[in-house]
Every structure is written in C-alpha cells, then in structure tokens.
Amino acid sequence: MSDAPTTEPCDGCGDPTTDALARTLRLSVDRANIDTQRLCPDCFADWIRRYQDRMADRDGDGGDSEIIID
Ligand SMILES: [Zn+2]
C-alpha cells in the first residue's frame, strides 16, 4: 500500500500535479468529445482565458460547443 498521492504530469506545462489539484477539462463540440486535458491550476486558468478569447472572436458562429470540467 502506498500513501503517496497520485501525481501525473500536467498536459500544459508537464509539471507533476496531484489529483487533488488537477482539473480535468473536456471540450466538446456538437456533443462530440474533441479534447480532454489534465491541467494544473495555473494552466487551467490560462486555458480558460484562451478559450473565452477564442469564443468571443467567433461570436456564436462555432456551433454548439461547451466545456465540461471535472
Ligand atoms: Zn501546468
């Protein structure tokens, strides 16, 4: 038995990130899952900012997309 926390690298920066801190982010477009990323809090905040910028540019023209965050 191990009491070490589960640690896996962040998909953004590669830093080891424990499950307790990591955010799993699923991007789906038209109900199809197109992207899943496991991110540390820093990369997560970054990603959200970029996503919102991109969505603002498209202004409703990008179909039915949504982010699911676990
Ligand atoms: Zn990261």
Side-chain angles (χ1 to χ4, degrees):
M1 233 186 263
S2 168
D3 57 3
T6 308
T7 303
E8 284 183 48
C10 162
D11 283 339
C13 63
D15 274 4
T17 305
T18 61
D19 274 349
L21 288 175
R23 294 282 177 276
T24 303
L25 190 148
R26 286 187 195 115
L27 178 64
S28 77
V29 175
D30 296 333
R31 283 164 219 267
N33 194 19
I34 61 166
D35 200 13
T36 304
Q37 299 197 53
R38 189 179 183 285
L39 299 172
C40 71
D42 278 356
C43 289
F44 177 75
D46 228 52
W47 197 98
I48 293 292
R49 215 173 304 133
R50 265 183 287 143
Y51 178 85
Q52 286 173 339
D53 278 356
R54 215 190 316 168
M55 289 300 115
D57 279 352
R58 285 185 187 176
D59 199 14
D61 196 36
D64 182 21
S65 71
E66 59 177 333
I67 328 177
I68 301 158
I69 298 156
D70 288 339

